[in-house]
Amino acid sequence: MSPADAPTVFVVDDDLSVRAAIQGLLKSASLQSESFETAEEFLRSKRPDGPSCLVLDVSLPGVNGLDFQRELADAGVQIPIIFITGHGDIPMSVKAMKSGAVEFLTKPFQDEDLLDAIRQALDRDRVTRQQQSNLAELRKRHETLTAREREVMGLVVSGMLNKQIAFDLGTSEITVKIHRGHVMRKMQAESLAELVRMAAKLELPPGKK
């Protein structure tokens, strides 16, 4: 695993002893970590680009953990969150989980429960990052298509036959076949079904029927 791929666990808790205890636990599990006293400190930090998750205290000075979860989502920061709290209640935990938290742990919690939640969160982040990388690659391929090839792709994935596309575009069927071949090669699609899936992932507007 390269340093860029090594996961990082961010710990945000205003209690120094809690931060130190969690970081000691993470070190024993061979996980690198960074800790912060406030949510604002975390936001100001320059974070590594590898897989990560956030162990976040609910009761923080300034913005509380649940509000910070919403702020991160609004800002488009996608990071799995594990909440920890000294005085959680069911409505609070339900709200956190509905907003996408991985786990909600009440202090004192078992070390293994926290480590299990962290491993789950890091796995989730790896999957998300891989999906984002795949989508970025698809977009790059789509950008290599000419305007006419994109048009043909839209009509192909909408279910139209070559002769229907030729009629619709006012061109010959052989020309459509050539464009279609270019689309399949440039998009690296081995079948129509795969091309349809690619179009769905790219959320392309549907072609004419």
Side-chain angles (χ1 to χ4, degrees), residues 134-145 186-187 202:
N134 292 346
L135 184 58
E137 174 60 28
L138 269 187
R139 286 197 178 115
K140 277 170 64 177
R141 291 181 204 167
H142 189 252
E143 284 166 8
T144 67
L145 302 182
K186 290 182 179 180
M187 293 301 295
L202 288 167

PDB file of all heavy atoms in Angstrom, residues 134-145 186-187 202:
ATOM      1  N   ASN A 134     -13.810   5.650 -11.003  1.00  0.00           N
ATOM      2  CA  ASN A 134     -14.366   5.013 -12.200  1.00  0.00           C
ATOM      3  C   ASN A 134     -15.219   5.991 -12.999  1.00  0.00           C
ATOM      4  O   ASN A 134     -15.169   6.008 -14.237  1.00  0.00           O
ATOM      5  CB  ASN A 134     -15.221   3.800 -11.802  1.00  0.00           C
ATOM      6  CG  ASN A 134     -14.388   2.666 -11.221  1.00  0.00           C
ATOM      7  OD1 ASN A 134     -13.171   2.665 -11.334  1.00  0.00           O
ATOM      8  ND2 ASN A 134     -15.044   1.717 -10.579  1.00  0.00           N
ATOM      9  N   LEU A 135     -16.008   6.808 -12.287  1.00  0.00           N
ATOM     10  CA  LEU A 135     -16.869   7.776 -12.964  1.00  0.00           C
ATOM     11  C   LEU A 135     -16.036   8.844 -13.669  1.00  0.00           C
ATOM     12  O   LEU A 135     -16.347   9.245 -14.800  1.00  0.00           O
ATOM     13  CB  LEU A 135     -17.822   8.426 -11.953  1.00  0.00           C
ATOM     14  CG  LEU A 135     -18.855   9.397 -12.510  1.00  0.00           C
ATOM     15  CD1 LEU A 135     -19.736   8.721 -13.563  1.00  0.00           C
ATOM     16  CD2 LEU A 135     -19.727   9.966 -11.392  1.00  0.00           C
ATOM     17  N   ALA A 136     -14.960   9.287 -13.014  1.00  0.00           N
ATOM     18  CA  ALA A 136     -14.076  10.287 -13.633  1.00  0.00           C
ATOM     19  C   ALA A 136     -13.450   9.722 -14.911  1.00  0.00           C
ATOM     20  O   ALA A 136     -13.326  10.423 -15.920  1.00  0.00           O
ATOM     21  CB  ALA A 136     -12.985  10.705 -12.644  1.00  0.00           C
ATOM     22  N   GLU A 137     -13.090   8.443 -14.875  1.00  0.00           N
ATOM     23  CA  GLU A 137     -12.511   7.792 -16.056  1.00  0.00           C
ATOM     24  C   GLU A 137     -13.546   7.706 -17.182  1.00  0.00           C
ATOM     25  O   GLU A 137     -13.229   7.959 -18.359  1.00  0.00           O
ATOM     26  CB  GLU A 137     -12.009   6.401 -15.672  1.00  0.00           C
ATOM     27  CG  GLU A 137     -11.518   5.556 -16.840  1.00  0.00           C
ATOM     28  CD  GLU A 137     -10.367   6.158 -17.612  1.00  0.00           C
ATOM     29  OE1 GLU A 137      -9.574   6.930 -17.014  1.00  0.00           O
ATOM     30  OE2 GLU A 137     -10.260   5.883 -18.814  1.00  0.00           O
ATOM     31  N   LEU A 138     -14.797   7.368 -16.831  1.00  0.00           N
ATOM     32  CA  LEU A 138     -15.873   7.308 -17.830  1.00  0.00           C
ATOM     33  C   LEU A 138     -16.092   8.673 -18.478  1.00  0.00           C
ATOM     34  O   LEU A 138     -16.292   8.778 -19.685  1.00  0.00           O
ATOM     35  CB  LEU A 138     -17.180   6.849 -17.176  1.00  0.00           C
ATOM     36  CG  LEU A 138     -17.501   5.359 -17.154  1.00  0.00           C
ATOM     37  CD1 LEU A 138     -18.911   5.162 -16.608  1.00  0.00           C
ATOM     38  CD2 LEU A 138     -17.406   4.745 -18.543  1.00  0.00           C
ATOM     39  N   ARG A 139     -16.073   9.715 -17.653  1.00  0.00           N
ATOM     40  CA  ARG A 139     -16.278  11.074 -18.172  1.00  0.00           C
ATOM     41  C   ARG A 139     -15.168  11.447 -19.141  1.00  0.00           C
ATOM     42  O   ARG A 139     -15.421  12.088 -20.172  1.00  0.00           O
ATOM     43  CB  ARG A 139     -16.329  12.081 -17.011  1.00  0.00           C
ATOM     44  CG  ARG A 139     -17.616  12.018 -16.213  1.00  0.00           C
ATOM     45  CD  ARG A 139     -17.805  13.269 -15.364  1.00  0.00           C
ATOM     46  NE  ARG A 139     -19.063  13.213 -14.635  1.00  0.00           N
ATOM     47  CZ  ARG A 139     -19.176  13.146 -13.315  1.00  0.00           C
ATOM     48  NH1 ARG A 139     -18.086  13.130 -12.566  1.00  0.00           N
ATOM     49  NH2 ARG A 139     -20.363  13.105 -12.736  1.00  0.00           N
ATOM     50  N   LYS A 140     -13.931  11.052 -18.815  1.00  0.00           N
ATOM     51  CA  LYS A 140     -12.806  11.338 -19.716  1.00  0.00           C
ATOM     52  C   LYS A 140     -13.002  10.643 -21.059  1.00  0.00           C
ATOM     53  O   LYS A 140     -12.766  11.231 -22.111  1.00  0.00           O
ATOM     54  CB  LYS A 140     -11.497  10.867 -19.070  1.00  0.00           C
ATOM     55  CG  LYS A 140     -10.904  11.866 -18.099  1.00  0.00           C
ATOM     56  CD  LYS A 140      -9.749  11.311 -17.298  1.00  0.00           C
ATOM     57  CE  LYS A 140      -8.565  10.940 -18.146  1.00  0.00           C
ATOM     58  NZ  LYS A 140      -7.424  10.456 -17.297  1.00  0.00           N
ATOM     59  N   ARG A 141     -13.466   9.396 -21.019  1.00  0.00           N
ATOM     60  CA  ARG A 141     -13.708   8.672 -22.276  1.00  0.00           C
ATOM     61  C   ARG A 141     -14.809   9.360 -23.080  1.00  0.00           C
ATOM     62  O   ARG A 141     -14.693   9.527 -24.295  1.00  0.00           O
ATOM     63  CB  ARG A 141     -14.132   7.234 -21.978  1.00  0.00           C
ATOM     64  CG  ARG A 141     -13.040   6.366 -21.390  1.00  0.00           C
ATOM     65  CD  ARG A 141     -13.571   4.961 -21.169  1.00  0.00           C
ATOM     66  NE  ARG A 141     -12.838   4.251 -20.136  1.00  0.00           N
ATOM     67  CZ  ARG A 141     -13.237   3.119 -19.582  1.00  0.00           C
ATOM     68  NH1 ARG A 141     -14.380   2.559 -19.969  1.00  0.00           N
ATOM     69  NH2 ARG A 141     -12.532   2.533 -18.651  1.00  0.00           N
ATOM     70  N   HIS A 142     -15.885   9.767 -22.383  1.00  0.00           N
ATOM     71  CA  HIS A 142     -17.019  10.393 -23.072  1.00  0.00           C
ATOM     72  C   HIS A 142     -16.596  11.707 -23.732  1.00  0.00           C
ATOM     73  O   HIS A 142     -17.092  12.070 -24.803  1.00  0.00           O
ATOM     74  CB  HIS A 142     -18.172  10.618 -22.089  1.00  0.00           C
ATOM     75  CG  HIS A 142     -19.445  11.064 -22.744  1.00  0.00           C
ATOM     76  ND1 HIS A 142     -19.923  12.348 -22.637  1.00  0.00           N
ATOM     77  CD2 HIS A 142     -20.328  10.394 -23.532  1.00  0.00           C
ATOM     78  CE1 HIS A 142     -21.054  12.446 -23.319  1.00  0.00           C
ATOM     79  NE2 HIS A 142     -21.317  11.284 -23.868  1.00  0.00           N
ATOM     80  N   GLU A 143     -15.673  12.417 -23.090  1.00  0.00           N
ATOM     81  CA  GLU A 143     -15.214  13.695 -23.635  1.00  0.00           C
ATOM     82  C   GLU A 143     -14.408  13.512 -24.919  1.00  0.00           C
ATOM     83  O   GLU A 143     -14.232  14.466 -25.680  1.00  0.00           O
ATOM     84  CB  GLU A 143     -14.367  14.437 -22.582  1.00  0.00           C
ATOM     85  CG  GLU A 143     -15.213  15.070 -21.487  1.00  0.00           C
ATOM     86  CD  GLU A 143     -14.377  15.494 -20.283  1.00  0.00           C
ATOM     87  OE1 GLU A 143     -13.119  15.430 -20.369  1.00  0.00           O
ATOM     88  OE2 GLU A 143     -14.976  15.866 -19.262  1.00  0.00           O
ATOM     89  N   THR A 144     -13.906  12.279 -25.166  1.00  0.00           N
ATOM     90  CA  THR A 144     -13.148  12.047 -26.407  1.00  0.00           C
ATOM     91  C   THR A 144     -14.069  11.857 -27.610  1.00  0.00           C
ATOM     92  O   THR A 144     -13.599  11.851 -28.752  1.00  0.00           O
ATOM     93  CB  THR A 144     -12.225  10.809 -26.282  1.00  0.00           C
ATOM     94  OG1 THR A 144     -13.032   9.626 -26.180  1.00  0.00           O
ATOM     95  CG2 THR A 144     -11.310  10.913 -25.080  1.00  0.00           C
ATOM     96  N   LEU A 145     -15.367  11.678 -27.374  1.00  0.00           N
ATOM     97  CA  LEU A 145     -16.309  11.496 -28.482  1.00  0.00           C
ATOM     98  C   LEU A 145     -16.551  12.821 -29.192  1.00  0.00           C
ATOM     99  O   LEU A 145     -16.589  13.883 -28.567  1.00  0.00           O
ATOM    100  CB  LEU A 145     -17.655  10.961 -27.963  1.00  0.00           C
ATOM    101  CG  LEU A 145     -17.659   9.637 -27.187  1.00  0.00           C
ATOM    102  CD1 LEU A 145     -19.092   9.275 -26.809  1.00  0.00           C
ATOM    103  CD2 LEU A 145     -17.018   8.512 -27.975  1.00  0.00           C
ATOM    104  N   LYS A 186     -14.059   3.939 -28.212  1.00  0.00           N
ATOM    105  CA  LYS A 186     -13.608   5.021 -27.336  1.00  0.00           C
ATOM    106  C   LYS A 186     -14.129   4.868 -25.904  1.00  0.00           C
ATOM    107  O   LYS A 186     -13.435   5.217 -24.943  1.00  0.00           O
ATOM    108  CB  LYS A 186     -14.048   6.385 -27.902  1.00  0.00           C
ATOM    109  CG  LYS A 186     -13.312   6.797 -29.169  1.00  0.00           C
ATOM    110  CD  LYS A 186     -13.794   8.175 -29.626  1.00  0.00           C
ATOM    111  CE  LYS A 186     -13.079   8.640 -30.883  1.00  0.00           C
ATOM    112  NZ  LYS A 186     -13.559   9.974 -31.329  1.00  0.00           N
ATOM    113  N   MET A 187     -15.343   4.364 -25.763  1.00  0.00           N
ATOM    114  CA  MET A 187     -15.910   4.166 -24.423  1.00  0.00           C
ATOM    115  C   MET A 187     -15.428   2.856 -23.799  1.00  0.00           C
ATOM    116  O   MET A 187     -15.687   2.597 -22.625  1.00  0.00           O
ATOM    117  CB  MET A 187     -17.444   4.171 -24.480  1.00  0.00           C
ATOM    118  CG  MET A 187     -18.063   5.515 -24.851  1.00  0.00           C
ATOM    119  SD  MET A 187     -17.619   6.851 -23.714  1.00  0.00           S
ATOM    120  CE  MET A 187     -18.401   6.295 -22.193  1.00  0.00           C
ATOM    121  N   LEU A 202     -23.216   8.001 -16.251  1.00  0.00           N
ATOM    122  CA  LEU A 202     -22.895   9.370 -16.649  1.00  0.00           C
ATOM    123  C   LEU A 202     -24.122  10.283 -16.576  1.00  0.00           C
ATOM    124  O   LEU A 202     -23.998  11.500 -16.745  1.00  0.00           O
ATOM    125  CB  LEU A 202     -22.352   9.370 -18.084  1.00  0.00           C
ATOM    126  CG  LEU A 202     -20.947   8.783 -18.251  1.00  0.00           C
ATOM    127  CD1 LEU A 202     -20.647   8.533 -19.732  1.00  0.00           C
ATOM    128  CD2 LEU A 202     -19.891   9.701 -17.644  1.00  0.00           C
TER     129      LEU A 202
END
